Amino acid sequence: ADTRPPPLARSARGDTYHVEAILDAARMQLTRAPWHFVQHYLVKWVGYPMSDCTWEPHFNLKPPHAAPDAWECVEAFLRRQR
């Protein structure tokens, strides 16, 4: 049986989930603007296996696009990188 938690919220922009941790960071090209590079973070989602981690652009991890704890996880990751 699937034990993954449901999204916190659903909207036309997509579902919102809790972030457990940020595992890595990289600058990546945007698909819709290949000349533009944006900071992305590898996200471990609460209640989901490592195989479901996703690379998310920084703006997907800030309100109103993400759960309130998402950017706190980014900041904690950045502190660990210093």
Side-chain angles (χ1 to χ4, degrees):
D2 192 357
T3 58
R4 299 173 190 181
L8 297 172
R10 292 185 181 273
S11 73
R13 292 184 176 149
D15 297 339
T16 300
Y17 296 88
H18 271 300
V19 172
E20 181 175 322
I22 301 299
L23 306 175
D24 202 358
R27 292 185 63 74
M28 298 180 179
Q29 288 178 308
L30 290 179
T31 304
R32 66 182 182 273
W35 61 90
H36 189 70
F37 286 80
V38 172
Q39 188 70 20
H40 282 63
Y41 295 97
L42 183 58
V43 179
K44 167 69 173 81
W45 303 102
V46 170
Y48 287 79
M50 292 295 288
S51 60
D52 285 340
C53 293
T54 58
W55 284 98
E56 298 292 332
H58 69 90
F59 47 79
N60 281 0
L61 298 171
K62 294 180 179 179
H65 308 289
D69 60 346
W71 197 250
E72 292 172 13
C73 290
V74 171
E75 290 174 337
F77 170 82
L78 294 173
R79 281 192 301 272
R80 289 192 309 269
Q81 300 306 304
R82 292 184 191 154

